């Protein structure tokens, strides 16, 4: 991914990001600089937080990247998967009910969510919920559409 431009965000833009992440994920960013990055060869809208790609925009909404979630662990909108689902989720597969061990009951269909693995507590992916959190654990069906995951172009991006 080639950087087309970088610019520092205004304080009102930073406030909007911080408020959205606090409301949606229960996360408080502790950072000195926020820079928006535009790419020549990608549609990702990314914000570098202290120089690291920790925030991305999904349909105009700021949300943590996988790297951001591992630095600022979310307290809300978290879905936990078992060891059997890790390789699939890490490869960008959508999340299926049988792999889910726990889901935040406050999740509503179409919410952005963070996928966590139960063994080590690492975050693996960002996705969009297809159903409510209290309906995610079960025997069959796709419940989260993957948006960004470990190993994709954004995850591999470094400044």
């Amino acid at each position: 991914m080639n950087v087309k431009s970088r610019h520092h965000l205004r304080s009102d833009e930073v406030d909007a990001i911080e408020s959205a992440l606090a409301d949606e994920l229960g996360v408080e960013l502790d950072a000195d600089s926020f820079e928006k990055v535009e790419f020549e060869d990608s549609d990702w809208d990314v914000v570098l937080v202290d120089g690291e790609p920790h925030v991305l925009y999904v349909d105009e909404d700021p949300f943590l990247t996988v790297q951001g979630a591992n630095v600022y662990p979310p307290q809300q909108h978290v879905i936990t998967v078992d060891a059997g689902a890790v390789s699939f989720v890490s490869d960008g597969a959508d999340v299926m009910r049988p792999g889910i061990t726990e889901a935040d009951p406050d999740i509503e269909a179409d919410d952005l969510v963070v996928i966590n693995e139960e063994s080590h507590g690492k975050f693996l992916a960002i996705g969009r919920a297809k159903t409510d959190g209290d309906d995610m654990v079960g025997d069959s069906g796709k419940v989260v559409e993957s948006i960004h995951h470990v190993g994709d172009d954004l995850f591999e991006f470094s400044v």
Side-chain angles (χ1 to χ4, degrees), residues 81-90 98-101 117-119 124:
V81 297
D82 62 23
V86 169
S87 64
F88 297 103
V89 173
S90 296
I100 296 175
T101 59
E117 58 88 19
E118 69 178 348
S119 301
L124 305 171

Side-chain angles (χ1 to χ4, degrees), residues 11-108:
S11 61
D12 61 325
E13 294 171 310
V14 171
D15 290 345
I17 290 170
E18 291 177 331
S19 294
L21 295 180
D23 292 346
E24 290 297 310
L25 299 171
V27 169
E28 184 177 321
L29 295 181
D30 182 25
D32 295 322
S33 72
F34 292 80
E35 293 178 89
K36 188 166 186 180
V37 175
E38 292 182 40
F39 299 103
E40 292 176 359
D41 50 356
S42 173
D43 291 333
W44 294 113
D45 286 328
V46 176
V47 175
L48 303 179
V49 179
D50 286 340
E52 298 296 328
H54 289 170
V55 175
L56 77 144
Y57 282 90
V58 180
D59 300 329
E60 307 298 320
D61 296 321
F63 204 76
L64 291 176
T65 62
V66 171
Q67 299 96 316
N70 282 304
V71 173
Y72 303 100
Q75 305 303 308
Q76 301 158 196
H77 288 226
V78 176
I79 296 170
T80 303
V81 297
D82 62 23
V86 169
S87 64
F88 297 103
V89 173
S90 296
D91 283 339
D94 293 335
V95 182
M96 308 298 280
R97 272 193 186 98
I100 296 175
T101 59
E102 188 178 351
D104 180 347
D106 293 332
I107 294 170
E108 295 180 4

Side-chain angles (χ1 to χ4, degrees), residues 3-8 35-38 48 51 157 159:
V3 175
K4 180 177 169 182
S5 68
R6 286 172 64 163
H7 66 277
H8 287 277
E35 293 178 89
K36 188 166 186 180
V37 175
E38 292 182 40
L48 303 179
F157 170 73
V159 181

